[in-house]
Amino acid sequence: MQNKVKGSTILVTGGAGFIGSYVIEELIPLQPKKIIIIDNFLRGTRDNMKSFYNNPVIEFHEGDIRDVELLENCIEGCDYVFHLAALRINACAANPQDGFEVMLKATFDVAQLCVKYKIKKVIYSSSASVYGLAQHFPTPETDNPYNNQTFYGAAKMWGEQLFRSYKFMYGLDYAALRYFNAYGPRMDTDGKYTEVMIRWLDCVRDGRNPLIYGDGSTTMDFVYVRDIAKANIAALQADVTDESFNIGNCVETSLKELLEVLLKVNNSHLQPEHREENSVNPVSRRLADISKAKRLLGFTPTVSLEQGLKELSEWYFEKIKLKVH
Ligand SMILES: NC(=O)c1ccc[n+]([C@@H]2O[C@H](COP(=O)([O-])OP(=O)(O)OC[C@H]3O[C@@H](n4cnc5c(N)ncnc54)[C@H](O)[C@@H]3O)[C@@H](O)[C@H]2O)c1
């Protein structure tokens, strides 16, 4: 297959973030001419970019995708765009106006400028949130999005549909990737809505019993961040357009099982403590059918939950150590 990255100029919005930084690490060995990054450091960090920040192919702009002039300057002259910058699900719920401006308006501007500057392909970061509680398990891409109740899921679906309509109206090629539950080193650790894995790792560190709210039967499909980054590259390289793909690990893991594996990889004998569920989770199950991504992108997840949690734990404990000293 032709290496489309070689000699290309590529924009990555949100490139200082968790997934974006891994996408860039996968792009660099493929010899792009230039990688332009826009990130406002809302959640991304310089530390996430330390393996490539000083690489001469990188052109970093600390700025906001709501700044149309900046966006235009960055997109002009590009061959490809990876659009990852977004607010997280809770941030959208807390402030839908910001959600509108970042998830909808700025994504609209990205699409407009991609048409104007004849971008060859856009890889759009969508989400399994488009399904809400899905109809089928494993969930194929053909499940409908009517069960989604979140602004975030609505915005991601709108983004997919926007790119579909721009393909239809203007011939703009794109692929949308619906990530399931991403995890791995560099995931958010300090936010108000810190991921459950990180809270449990804090328990391991402090020797406190980890808490499970409810009976722990809620399931997720945990997909390792480097596998997600590889799916992004595959979506660019493959001769596919106008398609959405589930990107998951294809393993349904309950919170209870997740905790068991996390304790196991840390050689911990702490006992989970159950607490009454204090919020209603409308999405009680997630399991991706990834056969479409396998078939059309050649995507296969390579990192097991056990291996991924080992790497997450090592990274997190190292990070804490550095903070303390
Ligand atoms: N992490 C997951 O489990 C998951 C699941 C499904 C989809 N996604 C999607 O994948 C993409 C990447 O997510 P992530 O987990 O790396 O999150 P992240 O928050 O680490 O990355 C997003 C990046 O965008 C930047 N950003 C936010 N608003 C911006 C703005 N207005 N201008 C410029 N930069 C801005 C942030 O600073 C951050 O670095 C997002 O589109 C997200 O919605 C993530």
Side-chain angles (χ1 to χ4, degrees):
M1 195 194 290
Q2 187 207 345
N3 173 11
K4 293 179 184 152
V5 174
K6 192 168 182 177
S8 295
T9 298
I10 299 172
L11 171 66
V12 182
T13 71
F18 170 45
I19 299 171
S21 59
Y22 283 89
V23 169
I24 292 164
E25 285 176 354
E26 292 293 321
L27 284 170
I28 287 174
L30 298 171
Q31 300 177 285
K33 183 168 150 206
K34 199 199 280 185
I35 299 175
I36 303 172
I37 303 169
I38 307 179
D39 201 298
N40 64 357
F41 288 140
L42 179 74
R43 303 196 67 87
T45 62
R46 256 176 237 284
D47 202 44
N48 284 348
M49 298 189 288
K50 69 172 180 246
S51 71
F52 54 79
Y53 191 72
N54 291 321
N55 190 310
V57 300
I58 299 291
E59 180 183 309
F60 178 73
H61 296 264
E62 181 177 348
D64 201 297
I65 54 165
R66 287 171 287 186
D67 177 347
V68 187
E69 210 180 301
L70 171 68
L71 205 54
E72 177 149 15
N73 286 338
C74 289
I75 291 181
E76 184 177 9
C78 275
D79 298 290
Y80 300 106
V81 172
F82 290 86
H83 181 33
L84 292 100
L87 298 182
R88 305 204 86 186
I89 192 163
N90 292 314
C92 289
N95 193 336
Q97 180 69 39
D98 280 356
F100 170 75
E101 285 166 15
V102 175
M103 312 284 287
L104 301 177
K105 167 69 168 62
T107 298
F108 170 77
D109 291 333
V110 167
Q112 287 280 89
L113 291 165
C114 285
V115 171
K116 181 169 175 186
Y117 291 106
K118 300 189 170 41
I119 295 303
K120 293 176 195 159
K121 198 180 205 179
V122 181
I123 309 302
Y124 175 61
S125 281
S126 183
S127 168
S129 289
V130 299
Y131 299 116
L133 181 61
Q135 292 102 58
H136 302 96
F137 298 95
T139 305
E141 288 82 354
T142 47
D143 259 31
N144 73 50
Y146 301 134
N147 248 344
N148 164 60
Q149 294 172 305
T150 62
F151 184 101
Y152 173 86
K156 289 294 188 188
M157 197 65 223
W158 182 83
E160 287 192 20
Q161 291 283 295
L162 172 77
F163 285 112
R164 265 219 104 172
S165 69
Y166 272 44
K167 168 67 183 162
F168 183 67
M169 292 189 292
Y170 308 117
L172 176 64
D173 285 323
Y174 81 95
L177 303 179
R178 297 175 182 167
Y179 314 141
F180 278 60
N181 304 99
Y183 76 103
R186 299 180 210 158
M187 72 190 285
D188 179 34
T189 58
D190 300 319
K192 187 173 170 203
Y193 304 97
T194 297
E195 312 291 339
V196 68
M197 299 180 185
I198 300 293
R199 286 204 304 268
W200 288 340
L201 284 175
D202 285 337
C203 292
V204 170
R205 176 198 57 191
D206 303 342
R208 279 183 284 123
N209 284 340
L211 301 182
I212 291 186
Y213 290 89
D215 62 2
S217 64
T218 295
T219 66
M220 299 191 199
D221 185 337
F222 294 102
V223 53
Y224 193 67
V225 61
R226 207 176 294 282
D227 281 331
I228 294 185
K230 285 186 199 300
N232 271 271
I233 309 305
L236 182 86
Q237 302 279 30
D239 286 326
V240 293
T241 181
D242 198 13
E243 296 285 0
S244 298
F245 297 95
N246 288 336
I247 303 298
N249 216 32
C250 223
V251 180
E252 186 171 16
T253 307
S254 69
L255 285 177
K256 226 169 129 222
E257 290 161 339
L258 175 70
L259 179 56
E260 279 164 19
V261 182
L262 195 76
L263 292 176
K264 183 178 162 210
V265 302
N266 285 291
N267 299 316
S268 167
H269 300 290
L270 294 172
Q271 294 299 319
E273 281 181 26
H274 288 270
R275 293 280 187 279
E276 213 166 298
E277 186 88 76
N278 56 4
S279 63
V280 181
N281 177 6
V283 183
S284 53
R285 279 189 86 180
R286 282 239 189 276
L287 177 62
D289 175 343
I290 57 168
S291 48
K292 184 175 170 188
K294 271 191 178 154
R295 189 165 37 89
L296 296 180
L297 304 181
F299 168 74
T300 320
T302 58
V303 181
S304 68
L305 186 61
E306 193 164 330
Q307 179 59 28
L309 288 180
K310 247 186 220 158
E311 291 181 22
L312 175 71
S313 305
E314 279 163 20
W315 166 79
Y316 185 57
F317 291 133
E318 187 60 33
K319 184 180 150 108
I320 297 173
K321 217 164 65 193
L322 292 177
K323 253 191 187 167
V324 172
H325 293 295

